[in-house]
C-alpha cells in the first residue's frame, strides 16, 4: 500500500491479447496502487498467485445478472476499464456498466463508438488504437521530437531533443540560453539524467529534457536540430522575392533581383522563386529572364492575374517560406508589413547599399531579448554562410546594459570561431550610428508587432526596432519571434 494514499476500487473487464498485457503490467508494477476487481471469461488470464489487492471473477461479462451480482458484492468503483476484442460484446458491457455505475469513469477502445452519443459525456474515455499505433511509428521517425505518451496534457508540453554536432545549443551553459515560455529541466548524458543548473554545459549527443508551451518547444526543437550554416532552415527551404512593376522602377526591380540571386548563391536555399507582380514592361521582363539564365534552382513567375502582393504572399505562405525578400516600396506599406508579420517567416528588406558590399552583421540589443527574443542563432548562421563579422550594439541611456545577452553572443562567437565586435554606449543612439556609418551593414531585428504600426508612431517611439523601419540605407532582416 502507498502510504497516505486512499486506494480506489478499479474494475477491469478483460478479454484478449491486449487485456493480458495490460493485466500483467499491473500485476508486475502497480498491484499495490489500487484495489482491482477483474472480470474475465478467460481462465488463462488469472495468475497462479493472486495479490491481496485483486479479486477475480470468471464468467461471461455480457451477462447482466452476473455483473449485477458482482456490483452488489463489491459496491462502488471509481473507474471501469473495458478491454474486449468483440465490438458488439464490448458495447453491450459498456451499456450495462454505464447503468450500474452512473458516476464511474469508463475507459475503452473507440472502435464501435465513433458516432456514439456517449462520447459527449466526460465520464467516458475512448482510446483510438489507430492513434496509438501511428504515434509509435511517428516517435521512431528520424528528425522528429520525442514527446512522452500519456504524460501531462499530451499536447507536447514536454519534449526530449537530441543535440547534434554543430547545433547552436552545443557547448553552451544552460544559464546563457534565453528561455521564454519553456525551461530546460535536465540533460540525459551516457544513460544518466543530470538536472539542469545555470553552469551545466550542453554537449553534442546530449538529450535535453524541456518543458513549456508546445509551440515554443517546437521552435526550440528546430533551433537545436538546425546545424549552423543551414539557413533558411528551419523556417523553410526556399526564398521568395516579390517585385511589383506598378510600385517599383525598372532599375529598382533589377537591383532587387540581383540582390536575391546573391543571397540565394550564398545560403543553403533550395530554390529562389521570383514573383513579378503586374508585369507591364517587356524590355524589363526580357532583362529579368536574362538575369535568371538557365539556373534550374530559380523559378520565375509573372503574375498576370491582377493578384496584389498580400494575396500572393498569403497563397505562397501555405508552402512554408524560408525567407521573403522585398524592397522598401513594398515594405513601407503598413498593410504589407502586417501581412509579412502574420506568416512567421524571416523578411529581408533590400536597401540602396548592396549586400555584396556588406562586411558586418549588426544587431541592437534590447531588454525584451532577455525574455526570449534571442535571434543570435540566426545571426550567426547567416553571418557564417555569407562570411560576415558580427557587431553587437548595446545602447542604454541609463547604463543598464544587457550583460546576460552579451555573454550569450560571446559564448557563441567563441564556439563558432566568429569575431564579435561589442559596442557599449549610453550616449549614441544606434539609429544615429547607422545613419552615419560609411560601411554597409546587414541589420538584424526581431520581427515584433510594433514594426507593423503606422510610421508616425515610429517617429515618437523610443524603441530602435520601430525607428529602424525608417532607415533605407542598410539592408535589414526581420526574424520572427515567439510571443
Amino acid at each position: 500500500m502507498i502510504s497516505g494514499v486512499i486506494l480506489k476500487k478499479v474494475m477491469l473487464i478483460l478479454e484478449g491479447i491486449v487485456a493480458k498485457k495490460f493485466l500483467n503490467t499491473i500485476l508486475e508494477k502497480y498491484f499495490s496502487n489500487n484495489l482491482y476487481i477483474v472480470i474475465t471469461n478467460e481462465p488463462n488470464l488469472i495468475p497462479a498467485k493472486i495479490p491481496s489487492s485483486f479479486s477475480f471473477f470468471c464468467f461471461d461479462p455480457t451477462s447482466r445478472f452476473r455483473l449485477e451480482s458482482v456490483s452488489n458484492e463489491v459496491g462502488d468503483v471509481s473507474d471501469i476499464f473495458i478491454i474486449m476484442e468483440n465490438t458488439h460484446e464490448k458495447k453491450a458491457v459498456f451499456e450495462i456498466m454505464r447503468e450500474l455505475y452512473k458516476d464511474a469513469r469508463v475507459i475503452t477502445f473507440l472502435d464501435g463508438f465513433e458516432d456514439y452519443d456517449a462520447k459527449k459525456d466526460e465520464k467516458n474515455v475512448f482510446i483510438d488504437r489507430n492513434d496509438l499505433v501511428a504515434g509509435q511509428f511517428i516517435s521512431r521517425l528520424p528528425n522528429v521530437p520525442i514527446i512522452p505518451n500519456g504524460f501531462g496534457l499530451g499536447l507536447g508540453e514536454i519534449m526530449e531533443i537530441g543535440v547534434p554536432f554543430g547545433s547552436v545549443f552545443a557547448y553552451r551553459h544552460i544559464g546563457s540560453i534565453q528561455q521564454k515560455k519553456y525551461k530546460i529541466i535536465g540533460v540525459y548524458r551516457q544513460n544518466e539524467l543530470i538536472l539542469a543548473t545555470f553552469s551545466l554545459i550542453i554537449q553534442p549527443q546530449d538529450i535535453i529534457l524541456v518543458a513549456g508551451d508546445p509551440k515554443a518547444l517546437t521552435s526550440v526543437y528546430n533551433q537545436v536540430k538546425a546545424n549552423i550554416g543551414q539557413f533558411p532552415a528551419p523556417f523553410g527551404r526556399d526564398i521568395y522575392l516579390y517585385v511589383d512593376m506598378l510600385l517599383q522602377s525598372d532599375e529598382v526591380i533589377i537591383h532587387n533581383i540581383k540582390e536575391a540571386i546573391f543571397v540565394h548563391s550564398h545560403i543553403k536555399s533550395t530554390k529562389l522563386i521570383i514573383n513579378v507582380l503586374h508585369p507591364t514592361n517587356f524590355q524589363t521582363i526580357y532583362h529579368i529572364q536574362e538575369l535568371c539564365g538557365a539556373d534550374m534552382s530559380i523559378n520565375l513567375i509573372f503574375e498576370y492575374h491582377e493578384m496584389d502582393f498580400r494575396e500572393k504572399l498569403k497563397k505562397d505562405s501555405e508552402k512554408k517560406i524560408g525567407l521573403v525578400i522585398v524592397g522598401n516600396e513594398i515594405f513601407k506599406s503598413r498593410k504589407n508589413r502586417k501581412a509579412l508579420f502574420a506568416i512567421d517567416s524571416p523578411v529581408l528588406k533590400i536597401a540602396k547599399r548592396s549586400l555584396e558590399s556588406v562586411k558586418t552583421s549588426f544587431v541592437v540589443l534590447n531588454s525584451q531579448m532577455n525574455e526570449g527574443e534571442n535571434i543570435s542563432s540566426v545571426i550567426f548562421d547567416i553571418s557564417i554562410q555569407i562570411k560576415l563579422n558580427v557587431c553587437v550594439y548595446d545602447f542604454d541611456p541609463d547604463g543598464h546594459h544587457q550583460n546576460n545577452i552579451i555573454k550569450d553572443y560571446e559564448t557563441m562567437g567563441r564556439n563558432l570561431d566568429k569575431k564579435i565586435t561589442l559596442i557599449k554606449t549610453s550616449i549614441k543612439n544606434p539609429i544615429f550610428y547607422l545613419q552615419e556609418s560609411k560601411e554597409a551593414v546587414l541589420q538584424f531585428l526581431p520581427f515584433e508587432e510594433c514594426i507593423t504600426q503606422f510610421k508616425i508612431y515610429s517617429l515618437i517611439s523610443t524603441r530602435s526596432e520601430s525607428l529602424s523601419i525608417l532607415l533605407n540605407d542598410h539592408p535589414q532582416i526581420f526574424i520572427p519571434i515567439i510571443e
Side-chain angles (χ1 to χ4, degrees):
M1 181 180 291
I2 302 173
S3 177
V5 176
I6 299 174
L7 300 185
K8 293 185 176 183
K9 287 184 182 179
V10 179
M11 184 174 288
L12 313 177
I13 303 176
L14 307 177
E15 174 194 290
I17 297 172
V18 176
K20 184 176 180 63
K21 176 69 176 174
F22 177 65
L23 178 61
N24 287 343
T25 302
I26 296 174
L27 288 166
E28 181 183 347
K29 298 181 179 180
Y30 310 115
F31 62 90
S32 63
N33 292 47
N34 298 291
L35 299 175
Y36 299 98
I37 301 98
V38 182
I39 299 172
T40 180
N41 63 348
E42 298 179 0
N44 64 317
L45 285 181
I46 303 175
K49 294 182 179 180
I50 300 176
S52 60
S53 56
F54 277 76
S55 300
F56 279 85
F57 298 87
C58 190
F59 60 82
D60 181 359
T62 60
S63 170
R64 185 184 185 91
F65 173 76
R66 299 296 297 273
L67 288 176
E68 286 179 345
S69 298
V70 172
S71 174
N72 292 333
E73 181 178 338
V74 302
D76 291 336
V77 297
S78 63
D79 301 87
I80 301 168
F81 289 78
I82 305 173
I83 304 176
M84 301 175 68
E85 294 182 343
N86 187 294
T87 301
H88 296 294
E89 292 183 359
K90 179 181 65 179
K91 289 180 70 174
V93 172
F94 176 87
E95 295 285 2
I96 296 170
M97 301 314 293
R98 209 46 302 168
E99 289 182 27
L100 294 176
Y101 295 99
K102 298 188 184 302
D103 295 325
R105 186 177 63 145
V106 180
I107 302 96
T108 189
F109 283 121
L110 176 63
D111 43 308
F113 293 93
E114 289 84 357
D115 301 320
Y116 207 60
D117 289 339
K119 285 201 298 182
K120 300 175 184 177
D121 190 337
E122 62 181 15
K123 294 187 179 70
N124 301 324
V125 179
F126 297 98
I127 298 171
D128 189 338
R129 67 176 81 212
N130 293 326
D131 283 347
L132 295 177
V133 175
Q136 288 293 314
F137 280 107
I138 289 171
S139 68
R140 285 159 176 78
L141 276 173
N143 299 321
V144 298
I146 300 172
I147 300 172
N149 290 321
F151 193 93
L153 300 174
L155 301 175
E157 71 275 13
I158 297 177
M159 191 180 289
E160 295 176 10
I161 309 173
V163 181
F165 286 95
S167 169
V168 295
F169 274 55
Y171 304 113
R172 293 175 67 183
H173 293 91
I174 288 177
S176 74
I177 300 171
Q178 310 300 326
Q179 301 168 56
K180 181 181 180 182
K181 294 191 176 181
Y182 80 95
K183 291 293 179 185
I184 299 173
I185 301 169
V187 173
Y188 291 106
R189 181 179 298 161
Q190 297 178 347
N191 296 319
E192 180 184 354
L193 173 63
I194 306 171
L195 293 177
T197 62
F198 187 90
S199 59
L200 180 63
I201 297 176
I202 297 173
Q203 303 285 349
Q205 297 186 312
D206 282 349
I207 297 174
I208 59 173
L209 182 63
V210 293
D213 178 75
K215 185 178 179 182
L217 294 192
T218 300
S219 176
V220 172
Y221 174 84
N222 290 332
Q223 290 179 45
V224 174
K225 289 296 187 182
N227 293 343
I228 284 290
Q230 300 300 314
F231 184 86
F235 300 99
R237 293 289 179 185
D238 300 329
I239 299 174
Y240 281 69
L241 167 68
Y242 297 89
V243 293
D244 192 330
M245 287 194 176
L246 292 183
L247 288 178
Q248 299 168 296
S249 68
D250 297 343
E251 182 183 356
V252 167
I253 288 172
I254 297 303
H255 171 67
N256 287 1
I257 291 173
K258 286 180 178 178
E259 294 290 270
I261 291 173
F262 174 84
V263 174
H264 178 51
S265 65
H266 283 78
I267 67 173
K268 292 286 182 65
S269 50
T270 303
K271 285 186 176 295
L272 167 61
I273 294 91
I274 299 175
N275 296 278
V276 181
L277 306 177
H278 309 110
T280 53
N281 189 316
F282 288 104
Q283 186 175 353
T284 305
I285 291 171
Y286 180 72
H287 193 175
I288 292 170
Q289 290 171 331
E290 278 190 324
L291 281 175
C292 298
D295 191 334
M296 298 298 291
S297 70
I298 300 178
N299 291 357
L300 193 52
I301 299 173
F302 294 99
E303 186 54 63
Y304 291 100
H305 297 93
E306 295 300 318
M307 187 179 291
D308 67 17
F309 167 72
R310 292 186 294 278
E311 292 173 324
K312 188 72 171 71
L313 178 69
K314 185 177 180 180
K315 181 181 177 182
D316 290 342
S317 65
E318 297 172 2
K319 303 169 188 175
K320 196 176 181 184
I321 301 174
L323 174 67
V324 176
I325 301 180
V326 294
N328 183 57
E329 296 81 7
I330 292 176
F331 191 84
K332 68 181 181 181
S333 162
R334 179 176 181 252
K335 289 182 179 179
N336 290 346
R337 292 199 303 275
K338 289 182 72 174
L340 288 164
F341 178 79
I343 67 170
D344 288 330
S345 291
V347 178
L348 172 62
K349 185 181 78 168
I350 300 297
K352 296 175 184 176
R353 301 189 188 187
S354 70
L355 285 161
E356 198 168 0
S357 67
V358 169
K359 304 300 178 188
T360 304
S361 295
F362 185 88
V363 59
V364 180
L365 303 185
N366 63 40
S367 59
Q368 281 70 32
M369 287 181 177
N370 253 333
E371 300 173 4
E373 295 178 7
N374 194 346
I375 58 176
S376 57
S377 59
V378 177
I379 294 173
F380 279 98
D381 192 311
I382 295 175
S383 299
I384 286 171
Q385 291 193 69
I386 306 183
K387 296 180 173 56
L388 304 177
N389 295 318
V390 177
C391 179
V392 178
Y393 200 96
D394 187 10
F395 168 71
D396 193 296
D398 301 321
H400 300 145
H401 295 291
Q402 309 301 322
N403 294 320
N404 288 337
I405 304 176
I406 290 170
K407 287 180 183 178
D408 188 24
Y409 277 86
E410 290 175 337
T411 300
M412 291 191 71
R414 285 194 299 270
N415 293 341
L416 300 170
D417 195 25
K418 176 57 65 176
K419 180 183 176 182
I420 304 289
T421 300
L422 174 63
I423 300 175
K424 270 187 176 183
T425 179
S426 57
I427 300 172
K428 194 160 200 173
N429 188 294
I431 303 302
F432 297 139
Y433 177 89
L434 288 169
Q435 287 177 328
E436 296 171 6
S437 176
K438 295 180 180 179
E439 178 188 331
V441 300
L442 175 58
Q443 185 184 5
F444 288 80
L445 301 103
F447 203 163
E448 298 176 312
E449 196 164 10
C450 64
I451 291 171
T452 68
Q453 294 177 343
F454 290 106
K455 283 194 174 183
I456 191 169
Y457 293 123
S458 299
L459 293 170
I460 60 175
S461 175
T462 58
R463 299 196 61 179
S464 63
E465 289 79 20
S466 295
L467 292 167
S468 291
I469 66 171
L470 302 174
L471 301 177
N472 298 318
D473 286 342
H474 301 277
Q476 298 172 321
I477 183 164
F478 299 84
I479 309 300
I481 57 174
I482 300 169
E483 292 290 353

